[in-house]
Amino acid sequence: MRTKCINQETRRHFIRLCLFSEEDKDHRKEENEETCSSSNFVSYGTAGFRCHHAELDPIAFRCGFIASCVAAFSRTNATNNNSNDAPPFTAAGICVTASHNEASDNGLKIVDGHGNVLGEAYERACEMICNAKTEAQLENALDCFEEKLPFLETSREDAKKTAVVYFGRDTRESGERLVEKAKEGARALGGRSSGVAVKICDRGVVTTPMLHYFVYAHGKAVEAFYENNKQQEEKNDEDATERSLWEKIDAATQELAYFKRLAVGYLSLIEEDEEKKTKGKNVVEGLRANATTLPPLHIDCANGVGFVAFEKLMALFDVIRENSSSSSENSRRSATTTTTTTKEIALVLKNGPNDGPVNLNCGSDFVQKNQRAPETPSTRLSFVNQRCASVDGDCDRLVYFSIEEGEEEGKEGENSSKKQNFMLCDGDKLSILIAFFLIEQLFLAGLAHKISLGIAHTAYSNGAFTKFCEKNGVETVCAKTGVKNVHKAAEEHFDIGVYFESNGHGTALFSDEAVKVIEKELVDELTRMSVEQHLRKEEEKHIQSVILTTKLKALLTLKATIQTINPAIGDAISSVLLIEGILRKKGNMPFQEWHAMYRDLPTKQTKVKVRDRTVIECFDSERKCLKPEGLQQRIDEILLLDSCVKNNNRRAFVRPSGTEDIVRVYVEASDAETCEKISTKVEEAVIEFCN
Ligand code: 16G
Ligand code: MG
């Protein structure tokens, strides 16, 4: 039988505190009668617990405890190989955010020791812990948490001395209160009886991807430290070792470390003047030679934390610029917009936390779903005829858009109406741009045969996107909706897996092996170059070095790309830098050209309310349904509408939502009218089969 990690005394302490906070919740509920939902059960949704903030106090407390346990008893890369060498500091994280939801909602996300979202295997146990109402239920839930889950396959003696829990929150008003509750829960594990010391690292108002990054960076710092120590094989004074480790961890998990990583990655990515660099000039000086011709990017920050974080990034670019030279470039800050225009990057920030409730009439979800510009009073018109991007409330989604406004033909003059053309580059187009760029670099670096690259997407990706990939020989794989599913598919199928959901949540994942291959090739190439340079005759030098430089440049570009990407999770800030970098390297590619790489088929998405959405069971990555019986056959028949042959441009699927009590219907066809017709019929079929 397995030893329990959380001993009886600690359990009892936790349970006592939980039942206290249960009373606390009832008290709150009376105060917030109108706003609380009637159901007490809060389910573990697609991305953690999320609902009206007034419901969340006890859940925050319990999630805090769960995070402490994950930090104390889980194993990371550093501990996997040799448990006797177990580092004393393992980490986990709690992110208090409700992403793109309205301002009165909030949520809890638990981050594991690698900086990833806590694994699916834990979801049910977390749900049980967070919803348990009695002592017996809590005991049972904790048993499930400990005994069913592979993470905790370790005895109490293996528990680390210190469990570090990182906390972060978005700009929602309820965030601070919920973080405090979660900290209380985290501390409930600490103490003499548990053998664990809990260290709280509150990083304040940060984006969700930043919090993930801190936990990731913590793990990497520990790993590197132990690797180094092993090599040195000297037995240091234990206290001094621990102090020095902690200093390293602390430095690696600060905001500045995160912004520096991304900024330096970006500056290296856009550096083109190879000659200047080889003559010993630094990255920034090298850049001075290149003029910025990409028009500024206007970023809608969803009235959220993205604004705060982008401001910090821009301040860092300002410092780098000031250090490198005095110039006439400008940086302007005001209450509602912040502008940085330098030769390296030109950003105009809009919709910050002081401009209105988070996500209200703005943000990536609003822009993508409504296919129009944010409608906050201060910025409504200022997006027209600009290059624009939109992030969500916690800054992990990104879409680009542009609105061209021109005179209606033949209507010039005073009474002319303006014609607007809205163009969206959603997750599909972000994937395409990044994947094509990386494929090119892999070819130039001579690594295309060694490193596989492909795109993971969901059923919501436009049919035109998958056809375009196929035509261009890019492998794709379709996964179920939800970041965790697409992330996993990208990781499993490719050495470099580019993935984005159409809603803009995604990244490019480089496997450890791919990173190693790129780094090794870079070292080999540099060595080869210097040796050959030495041996070659003067007149041959020039021709050879051109070939070598192309390869070297590509390898350096790949390395810079890796650094520009947040390795833990999809990150809108990191994606903006990567996309801006790629557009620059593509000769300042205009938005229109990127948008026109392929033309999306018209689509329609609707919601259908049914008695019980769970009667629908899907397969084939949710592109087909198995149950209720007969529904799929009906959909197939509807797709033949007004035609007796199968039309490859037509697609329709239905799936139960993971975040709302509805069924989602998706339809795609060559023209909007057919889309509309098919959609109505599929909605009717759903109602018929599901009620
Ligand atoms: C959540 C997911 C998102 C997914 C959406 C689907 C995360 C961070 N977010 O917002 O990836 O696309 O749910 O919602 O995992 P649905 O099931 O209601 O269609
Ligand atoms: Mg989000």
Side-chain angles (χ1 to χ4, degrees):
M1 213 185 95
R2 223 187 286 173
T3 328
K4 282 184 178 171
C5 312
I6 314 161
N7 65 19
Q8 265 326 107
E9 211 176 320
T10 310
R11 273 180 176 233
R12 273 200 301 278
H13 178 58
F14 172 64
I15 291 171
R16 227 179 8 250
L17 291 171
C18 275
L19 299 180
F20 262 128
S21 58
E22 205 52 45
E23 278 168 25
D24 188 38
K25 177 187 167 191
D26 289 343
H27 177 66
R28 266 180 190 285
K29 278 205 76 167
E30 278 162 29
E31 285 174 359
N32 296 283
E33 207 88 57
E34 302 128 73
T35 45
C36 287
S37 81
S38 55
S39 136
N40 271 336
F41 190 87
V42 183
S43 57
Y44 196 105
T46 321
F49 296 101
R50 203 181 284 181
C51 63
H52 191 279
H53 73 86
E55 294 264 350
L56 283 170
D57 290 64
I59 294 183
F61 179 83
R62 294 171 193 208
C63 283
F65 184 77
I66 293 170
S68 256
C69 291
V70 170
F73 306 117
S74 67
R75 290 163 181 279
T76 63
N77 285 343
T79 57
N80 266 344
N81 303 333
N82 188 350
S83 63
N84 296 328
D85 262 359
F89 302 118
T90 46
I94 290 272
C95 198
V96 175
T97 175
S99 184
H100 55 283
N101 287 34
E102 58 190 274
S104 57
D105 279 0
N106 216 328
L108 275 305
K109 273 187 195 174
I110 304 168
V111 179
D112 77 12
H114 300 285
N116 296 335
V117 178
L118 190 65
E120 231 172 334
Y122 293 87
E123 292 183 358
R124 292 291 78 78
C126 290
E127 197 171 76
M128 283 168 75
I129 293 175
C130 288
N131 286 287
K133 301 263 176 305
T134 63
E135 207 172 321
Q137 283 173 358
L138 262 172
E139 283 276 7
N140 182 31
L142 288 172
D143 283 347
C144 280
F145 184 55
E146 285 188 303
E147 283 163 27
K148 280 196 193 150
L149 309 173
F151 226 109
L152 297 173
E153 259 179 42
T154 170
S155 68
R156 225 202 103 204
E157 284 69 41
D158 276 332
K160 315 307 168 306
K161 276 194 283 185
T162 306
V164 186
V165 188
Y166 288 85
F167 292 83
R169 60 186 161 95
D170 67 20
T171 52
R172 287 175 166 80
E173 222 178 277
S174 54
E176 202 173 344
R177 185 190 89 234
L178 293 171
V179 164
E180 289 312 314
K181 272 279 160 204
K183 281 185 198 168
E184 280 173 33
R187 287 194 193 101
L189 179 70
R192 227 154 20 103
S193 70
S194 68
V196 179
V198 175
K199 186 172 167 64
I200 303 284
C201 292
D202 187 350
R203 291 291 182 258
V205 175
V206 291
T207 68
T208 298
M210 281 167 78
L211 200 270
H212 281 267
Y213 179 79
F214 298 147
V215 183
Y216 163 89
H218 177 113
K220 286 287 167 197
V222 172
E223 223 177 289
F225 188 86
Y226 275 81
E227 207 45 54
N228 255 343
N229 259 22
K230 240 185 263 166
Q231 277 168 15
Q232 285 171 6
E233 282 203 6
E234 56 186 57
K235 286 270 165 264
N236 293 333
D237 156 27
E238 225 176 83
D239 282 350
T241 310
E242 200 166 301
R243 256 200 319 279
S244 136
L245 169 58
W246 185 251
E247 275 165 20
K248 290 211 159 47
I249 291 173
D250 198 45
T253 60
Q254 297 295 334
E255 278 185 8
L256 186 61
Y258 162 86
F259 286 118
K260 257 192 188 162
R261 174 186 167 128
L262 265 51
V264 170
Y266 172 75
L267 292 175
S268 317
L269 182 63
I270 60 173
E271 191 199 3
E272 271 146 17
D273 204 329
E274 201 58 39
E275 278 223 338
K276 278 208 157 62
K277 205 191 86 192
T278 46
K279 277 182 191 157
K281 300 215 174 184
N282 70 28
V283 173
V284 180
E285 277 173 309
L287 281 168
R288 316 254 109 231
N290 306 321
T292 301
T293 44
L294 263 187
L297 182 69
H298 292 244
I299 307 178
D300 153 33
C301 299
N303 295 346
V305 61
F307 189 93
V308 183
F310 268 115
E311 268 197 325
K312 289 179 182 166
L313 175 73
M314 284 154 70
L316 183 62
F317 277 121
D318 288 349
V319 170
I320 295 174
R321 192 182 63 242
E322 274 158 24
N323 285 345
S324 68
S325 77
S326 61
S327 76
S328 58
E329 295 160 320
N330 78 76
S331 178
R332 192 165 49 76
R333 314 256 186 256
S334 76
T336 50
T337 58
T338 306
T339 305
T340 278
T341 305
T342 73
K343 280 174 182 160
E344 294 82 41
I345 195 147
L347 303 177
V348 182
L349 303 185
K350 292 170 172 171
N351 296 337
N354 296 330
D355 295 318
V358 67
N359 300 319
L360 184 69
N361 297 328
C362 58
S364 58
D365 207 45
F366 178 89
V367 169
Q368 195 227 1
K369 295 236 165 81
N370 298 298
Q371 301 266 313
R372 57 177 197 263
E375 286 177 356
T376 46
S378 56
T379 56
R380 205 176 139 77
L381 296 172
S382 63
F383 288 100
V384 174
N385 291 333
Q386 308 285 2
R387 222 164 52 89
C388 311
S390 204
V391 305
D392 70 337
D394 64 337
C395 207
D396 59 1
R397 289 188 187 186
L398 171 74
V399 295
Y400 269 63
F401 67 97
S402 180
I403 303 152
E404 281 175 348
E405 191 173 81
E407 301 291 333
E408 198 92 73
E409 245 176 69
K411 280 190 184 173
E412 274 174 51
E414 255 178 49
N415 297 327
S416 68
S417 63
K418 305 273 191 197
K419 190 180 156 196
Q420 284 198 344
N421 179 22
F422 178 88
M423 288 172 288
L424 182 75
C425 280
D426 63 358
D428 291 349
K429 287 224 163 93
L430 296 179
S431 279
I432 291 275
L433 192 72
I434 295 170
F436 279 49
F437 173 74
L438 289 175
I439 288 170
E440 190 185 347
Q441 299 307 317
L442 286 176
F443 267 108
L444 294 175
L447 290 175
H449 61 292
K450 277 195 189 159
I451 296 177
S452 71
L453 185 146
I455 299 178
H457 64 97
T458 71
Y460 288 102
S461 283
N462 200 278
F465 157 84
T466 28
K467 280 216 182 89
F468 185 76
C469 289
E470 201 180 317
K471 205 177 87 193
N472 287 283
V474 180
E475 211 183 319
T476 57
V477 55
C478 186
K480 271 167 64 180
T481 303
V483 171
K484 61 190 175 200
N485 302 314
V486 205
H487 186 101
K488 200 164 142 204
E491 206 167 44
E492 278 174 7
H493 285 83
F494 311 109
D495 299 326
I496 301 177
V498 179
Y499 78 86
F500 276 90
E501 288 193 289
S502 306
N503 60 29
H505 196 148
T507 185
L509 289 177
F510 286 72
S511 70
D512 289 347
E513 198 46 41
V515 174
K516 269 189 211 142
V517 171
I518 292 165
E519 279 171 357
K520 181 172 181 303
E521 198 72 16
L522 186 55
V523 172
D524 289 355
E525 188 60 17
L526 286 168
T527 316
R528 196 154 50 226
M529 270 179 87
S530 65
V531 171
E532 282 184 16
Q533 205 96 356
H534 208 71
L535 298 176
R536 239 179 296 124
K537 281 190 258 156
E538 263 315 303
E539 61 268 29
E540 286 173 352
K541 264 186 188 171
H542 179 68
I543 310 161
Q544 273 289 336
S545 73
V546 172
I547 301 162
L548 290 171
T549 306
T550 306
K551 178 169 181 161
L552 188 64
K553 268 187 177 177
L555 287 165
L556 289 168
T557 298
L558 286 168
K559 197 163 183 268
T561 305
I562 294 167
Q563 195 172 358
T564 310
I565 292 172
N566 179 340
I569 198 111
D571 179 336
I573 294 185
S574 152
S575 296
V576 162
L577 292 178
L578 182 58
I579 296 290
E580 292 299 287
I582 294 174
L583 294 175
R584 275 179 70 123
K585 285 187 93 74
K586 295 246 148 234
N588 297 314
M589 185 195 254
F591 179 87
Q592 286 73 3
E593 193 182 321
W594 174 20
H595 183 257
M597 282 174 90
Y598 64 86
R599 201 188 167 90
D600 276 326
L601 288 167
T603 64
K604 186 161 170 86
Q605 288 190 54
T606 46
K607 302 176 185 184
V608 183
K609 184 94 187 110
V610 296
R611 196 153 38 88
D612 177 11
R613 73 189 198 282
T614 62
V615 297
I616 297 187
E617 271 177 40
C618 299
F619 68 105
D620 190 21
S621 302
E622 299 175 319
R623 289 175 290 196
K624 291 209 158 57
C625 66
L626 191 68
K627 282 181 184 169
E629 225 169 285
L631 178 57
Q632 187 58 49
Q633 200 186 340
R634 178 70 66 81
I635 294 172
D636 292 340
E637 284 161 15
I638 295 169
L639 286 172
L640 291 172
L641 188 85
D642 301 333
S643 150
C644 42
V645 281
K646 197 173 166 214
N647 182 332
N648 282 333
N649 280 339
R650 291 184 183 177
R651 218 157 58 84
F653 66 87
V654 300
R655 55 174 282 276
S657 159
T659 61
E660 289 178 69
D661 187 15
I662 44 120
V663 174
R664 294 200 195 280
V665 174
Y666 177 93
V667 176
E668 190 176 285
S670 305
D671 60 277
E673 201 189 327
T674 313
C675 231
E676 198 72 44
K677 274 195 209 161
I678 294 176
S679 183
T680 309
K681 287 194 183 299
V682 175
E683 286 162 46
E684 284 164 7
V686 169
I687 291 168
E688 182 188 326
F689 280 87
C690 299
N691 281 316

